[in-house]
């Protein structure tokens, strides 16, 4: 085991997991907490803010735009809201590896009174920006990309905006959020329509910061029979300033997912993850693991700040294959690399489809997962929008690239816990993007020492046991 500064990470077969743990603050929520605080009408204190590189990029960008942000102690951030009026940045804004920073900031910068340019690292410089350019241009924004195929750098020349009604062509919370943030400063109303539900943190948090917005669900089918969500419409009126409020960030279920899979795939394991976000637009990983044979209780303990959080209590089992596709994909989009590892450990062939978006994440995650699983001896068929993984044979330890992608690095560190011999993950600095303390938890899991002792979790009215069901 090496520290975050080391270039490689080594893992070996781990003992049964029987412990409880917490994970750092949610990445998506931390970005939004600092952004909404920055445009609020006063001082906001954010606790359990994720001090990962991506959220630091957002905080750094906001500071560059004149927002006063203090960090009195680790994980606590105090932000002086500016009512949405920023200062010219005096140079390019470096968004690092963070697509969320660049896309959400595009929405905030479009209605300002100055021009600026956002850049990114080599991975972000290959990510598509057409998806935010198009709706913002429809609102009257002057925004364009300088890179080939409308990739970064992204340039924004501030201009007054009008509200828009925009149907998202791809389920993307980043694009939805960019439009809603721009809509706050636009003349008239803005409506975003999505036909697959993406994570709804922006909507929940806007409501928590006392912005009035309307959420409408349109369902298809007979009220007594099977009903299918046709679309979600989120509308807000321009000219609202978020009310300054303190905010506590729950733990990141996408970080918990690595340990949930590690526990799920080992019969006899039991893991409690505490103080973790349980927003239903993010808990698809639990549904998938339950379908594969894990036993899970989800206990919502708190919703004070509009984001449900609590404990996940998971017991491992002999996993079997499942299908992950359709409307479930946006809910598990960041967990697919580690779901693929669970599939490799499960009996049968797991099929993942409708996940073309994985091709344009921090790396092409379909190609990266397929290459690394094959190197460990797993049969993988690759599709343009997913893969079929035939699991159940022993995994072989291997030397694997991270492709500079934090979730690939961590997913394959988990695979190494089930493999014969040693697994070496190269180029692991990227893990700091979302989970800077991953190494400490991995070390404890590998040693089998436990992170704390069990505290009994009693059934409560809020406890929801998941049982096997189709997606
Ligand atoms: C995020 C949305 C998702 C997700 C990303 C974070 C967000 O991206 O993959 O890690 O915080 O809004 P898309 O909106 O591009 O699907």
């Amino acid at each position: 085991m090496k520290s975050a500064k080391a270039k490689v990470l080594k893992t070996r077969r781990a003992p049964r997991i029987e412990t409880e743990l917490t994970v750092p603050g949610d990445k998506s929520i931390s970005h939004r907490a600092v952004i909404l605080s920055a445009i609020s009408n006063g001082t906001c204190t954010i606790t359990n803010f994720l001090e990962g590189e991506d959220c630091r990029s957002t905080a750094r960008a906001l500071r560059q735009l004149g927002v006063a942000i203090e960090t009195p102690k680790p994980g606590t951030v105090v932000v002086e809201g500016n009512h949405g009026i920023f200062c010219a940045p005096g140079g390019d804004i470096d968004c690092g590896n963070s697509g969320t920073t660049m896309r959400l900031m595009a929405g905030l910068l479009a209605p300002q009174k100055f021009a600026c340019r956002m850049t990114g690292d080599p991975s972000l410089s290959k990510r598509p920006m057409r998806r935010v350019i198009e709706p913002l241009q429809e609102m009257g924004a002057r925004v364009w990309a300088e890179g080939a195929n409308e990739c970064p750098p992204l340039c924004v020349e501030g201009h007054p905006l009008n509200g828009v009604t925009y149907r998202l062509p791809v389920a993307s919370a980043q694009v939805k959020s960019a439009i809603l943030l721009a809509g706050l400063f636009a003349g008239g109303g803005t409506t975003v329509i999505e036909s697959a539900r993406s994570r709804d943190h922006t909507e929940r948090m806007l409501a928590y910061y006392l912005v009035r917005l309307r959420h409408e669900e349109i369902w298809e089918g007979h009220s007594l029979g099977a009903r299918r969500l046709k679309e979600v419409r989120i509308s807000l009126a321009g000219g609202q300033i978020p009310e300054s409020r303190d905010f506590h960030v729950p733990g990141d279920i996408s970080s918990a997912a690595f340990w949930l899979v590690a526990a799920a795939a080992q019969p006899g394991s039991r893991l409690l993850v505490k103080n973790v976000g349980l927003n239903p637009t993010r808990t698809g990983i639990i549904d998938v693991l339950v379908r594969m044979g894990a036993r899970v209780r989800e206990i919502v303990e708190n919703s004070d700040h509009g984001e449900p959080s609590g404990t996940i209590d998971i017991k491992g089992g002999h996993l079997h294959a499942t299908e992950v596709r359709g409307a479930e994909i946006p809910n598990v989009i960041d967990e697919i690399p580690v779901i693929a590892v669970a599939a490799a450990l499960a009996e049968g062939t797991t099929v993942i489809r409708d996940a073309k978006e994985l091709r344009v994440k921090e790396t092409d995650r379909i190609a990266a997962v397929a290459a690394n699983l094959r190197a460990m001896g797993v049969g993988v068929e690759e599709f343009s929008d997913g893969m079929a993984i035939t699991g159940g044979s022993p995994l072989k330890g291997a030397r694997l690239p991270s492709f500079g992608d934090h979730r690939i690095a961590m997913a394959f560190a988990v695979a190494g816990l089930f493999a014969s011999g040693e697994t070496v993950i190269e180029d692991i600095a990227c893990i700091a993007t979302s989970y800077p303390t991953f190494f400490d938890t991995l070390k404890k899991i590998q040693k089998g020492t436990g992170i704390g002792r069990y505290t009994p979790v009693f059934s409560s009215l809020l406890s929801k046991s998941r049982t096997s069901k189709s997606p």
Side-chain angles (χ1 to χ4, degrees):
M1 179 76 43
K2 297 279 164 62
S3 76
K5 289 199 186 80
K7 291 217 167 53
V8 299
L9 167 68
K10 296 179 179 172
T11 57
R12 287 187 165 276
R13 203 183 290 282
R16 215 156 45 96
I17 296 175
E18 214 173 350
T19 194
E20 66 178 49
L21 53 83
T22 56
V23 286
D26 186 280
K27 180 160 84 70
S28 292
I29 297 177
S30 295
H31 282 295
R32 288 155 172 82
V34 69
I35 286 176
L36 294 182
S37 299
I39 59 173
S40 77
N41 61 358
T43 308
C44 307
T45 300
I46 305 165
T47 45
N48 203 34
F49 180 79
L50 173 64
E51 296 194 340
E53 289 306 322
D54 270 17
C55 299
R56 285 182 198 268
S57 290
T58 295
R60 208 177 34 242
L62 292 166
R63 280 199 187 100
Q64 214 179 320
L65 292 159
V67 181
I69 302 178
E70 303 280 321
T71 308
K73 58 181 182 186
T76 298
V77 175
V78 180
V79 185
E80 289 300 329
N82 67 1
H83 297 73
I85 301 159
F86 295 102
C87 309
D92 287 354
I93 295 176
D94 178 5
C95 300
N97 188 247
S98 177
T100 310
T101 305
M102 189 173 282
R103 294 186 178 130
L104 269 58
M105 291 306 299
L108 278 189
L109 290 168
Q112 299 297 318
K113 290 205 163 94
F114 52 81
C116 67
R117 185 168 178 268
M118 288 186 282
T119 58
D121 72 0
S123 153
L124 180 53
S125 301
K126 284 194 232 129
R127 299 186 66 185
M129 292 297 142
R130 176 83 215 141
R131 53 187 61 197
V132 279
I133 293 174
E134 185 180 277
L136 292 175
Q137 281 180 344
E138 274 191 35
M139 299 177 83
R142 295 182 177 160
V143 49
W144 67 96
E146 281 181 353
N149 303 318
E150 297 195 77
C151 289
L154 190 64
C155 302
V156 186
E157 199 180 278
H159 192 262
L161 303 184
N162 300 311
V164 72
T165 295
Y166 189 80
R167 183 178 288 276
L168 294 176
V170 283
S172 167
Q174 293 177 354
V175 178
K176 172 174 66 177
S177 305
I179 301 167
L180 292 174
L181 289 172
L184 273 185
F185 302 99
T190 290
T191 300
V192 183
I193 307 170
E194 53 180 9
S195 37
R197 206 194 289 269
S198 66
R199 64 191 68 191
D200 65 1
H201 304 301
T202 301
E203 300 91 297
R204 284 174 182 262
M205 292 174 69
L206 280 169
Y208 172 75
Y209 282 81
L210 303 183
V211 168
R212 282 197 61 195
L213 79 173
R214 186 183 158 97
H215 172 107
E216 211 183 334
E217 293 182 356
I218 319 278
W219 291 82
E220 273 179 337
H222 195 274
S223 57
L224 297 174
R227 293 203 318 151
R228 193 184 72 90
L229 183 65
K230 185 172 170 236
E231 60 190 43
V232 180
R233 293 166 168 257
I234 305 112
S235 310
L236 54 74
Q240 303 186 67
I241 303 296
E243 184 70 30
S244 58
R245 300 188 75 184
D246 295 343
F247 187 85
H248 183 77
V249 181
D252 196 330
I253 190 165
S254 296
S255 298
F258 300 105
W259 316 122
L260 295 177
V261 167
Q266 230 170 17
S269 279
R270 186 175 177 209
L271 173 70
L272 297 182
V273 184
K274 302 192 128 186
N275 304 323
V276 63
L278 294 172
N279 178 319
T281 61
R282 297 282 301 282
T283 51
I285 177 68
I286 299 178
D287 297 315
V288 172
L289 291 177
V290 166
R291 289 205 301 277
M292 297 181 86
R295 279 181 299 151
V296 185
R297 276 198 316 148
E298 190 187 323
I299 305 133
V300 176
E301 290 153 341
N302 193 321
S303 306
D304 287 353
H305 295 174
E307 284 285 352
S309 64
T311 299
I312 300 173
D313 177 358
I314 185 164
K315 290 182 182 155
H318 292 284
L319 298 187
H320 44 261
T322 187
E323 273 196 29
V324 188
R325 65 197 316 160
E328 189 172 42
I329 292 294
N331 197 313
V332 293
I333 193 73
D334 292 341
E335 286 68 74
I336 290 178
V338 78
I339 288 173
V341 170
L345 298 167
E347 230 24 82
T349 300
T350 291
V351 177
I352 300 168
R353 297 306 296 252
D354 307 313
K356 208 167 86 198
E357 275 296 295
L358 292 176
R359 299 262 182 214
V360 291
K361 292 293 178 188
E362 285 82 331
T363 187
D364 175 343
R365 286 185 176 160
I366 296 176
V369 163
N372 281 358
L373 284 180
R374 285 183 188 130
M376 298 186 93
V378 181
V380 184
E381 188 185 350
E382 213 181 294
F383 312 118
S384 59
D385 66 343
M387 54 202 139
I389 299 157
T390 301
S393 311
L395 297 191
K396 290 184 301 195
R399 191 173 180 98
L400 303 170
S402 70
F403 299 88
D405 182 325
H406 53 133
R407 299 205 197 277
I408 299 293
M410 292 185 278
F412 282 90
V414 170
L417 300 177
F418 294 86
S420 59
E422 190 176 69
T423 295
V424 180
I425 317 289
E426 297 170 338
D427 185 15
I428 51 155
C430 53
I431 289 176
T433 298
S434 63
Y435 198 163
T437 54
F438 178 80
F439 305 92
D440 303 327
T441 305
L442 178 62
K443 198 163 160 185
K444 285 168 185 161
I445 290 232
Q446 275 195 303
K447 277 195 183 153
T449 48
I451 289 157
R453 286 189 55 77
Y454 271 138
T455 39
V457 181
F458 298 105
S459 315
S460 81
L461 287 175
L462 297 172
S463 162
K464 179 157 107 189
S465 285
R466 301 269 185 129
T467 48
S468 202
K469 63 175 163 79
S470 311

